[in-house]
Amino acid sequence: MEKYVFSMVAFLLVLALMATLFSPSDAVFKGAFEENFSKSCPGTHFKTSQDGQIWYLTLDQVSDCGFMTKQSYRFGWFSTKLKLVGGDSAGVVTAFYMCSEVEAGPLRDEIDFEFLGNRTGQPYLIQTNVYNNGSGGREMRHQLWFFVDKVPIRIYKNANHTNNFFPAQRPMYVFSSIWNADNWATRGGLDKINWKNAPFVASYKDFTIDACTWKNPYPACASTTTQHWWDQYSAWHLSSKQKTDYAWVQRNFVVYNYCQDTVRNRYKPQECWLNPLD
């Protein structure tokens, strides 16, 4: 079995986007890429391994690259193993996210994981964000350590606040992409992409989805029947170990939290008053 490895400049990450807090058993996609996904880049910028199990996305001055699921989902567990660009990756962003609209329209709902490249020898930052009906501004940034598998780094609760800022109404597609964001991604846009290092390649394997599939007019699995993992108590609560891990991340790896930005937010958003572990 092939083994992915990592170095100081090429991290291997298992990423998870989820509307709940429980990790189900693996349900890795089978079959050809084309059966489950659509790509949004020239064929020269998307390649697969000979067995089709590893996907390579390329960024250069000609084009960026991305892909999305053909199916949309209401909630669930979404993960992949992602090998980020090694070396000098300043200005490069590799994203893994969910969005309610294929073209990321102005009224979209969205949940983001964005990996912000850096100069040689410097660690990636991971930026997370939440959009509701086209409004965002819920950024957090964390430094990365080597293994981040199944360690919770952020909790964003649907607490029925009067500001109604939670993307709970519309199904979302799953996306990933590599693209040029050197106008903001690294030191606020001070560090630009060094195109002499192109092409920049990110690779993926073991894409996993265990989720509530959307079917019009509503998904059959949306009701609480206790028949699915997302209906269980453990899907809505962190374990004792996860709480300990989460607190460790908050103490040691948070480099930006919108809740603490008094310049940007004159009035602290309503959800910021919550203790996420309550």
Side-chain angles (χ1 to χ4, degrees), residues 4 11 18 21-22 45 55 60 63 67 73 80 86 100 108 110 140 155 174 193 201 207 211 242 261:
Y4 265 23
F11 293 94
M18 57 181 176
L21 301 174
F22 174 72
H45 288 62
W55 313 335
D60 59 21
S63 178
F67 62 83
Y73 303 91
T80 188
S100 61
R108 70 192 184 278
E110 188 170 309
M140 286 188 70
I155 299 170
V174 183
I193 289 181
V201 180
F207 206 100
Q242 287 173 327
D261 190 338

Side-chain angles (χ1 to χ4, degrees), residues 14-17 77-81 96 205-209:
V14 176
L15 317 176
L17 294 170
W77 177 269
F78 311 87
S79 68
T80 188
K81 292 179 181 177
F96 180 54
K205 64 182 295 187
D206 296 350
F207 206 100
T208 302
I209 290 181

Side-chain angles (χ1 to χ4, degrees), residues 148-160:
V148 298
D149 308 5
K150 298 182 181 179
V151 173
I153 67 168
R154 182 172 182 181
I155 299 170
Y156 193 90
K157 289 188 174 183
N158 184 2
N160 296 318

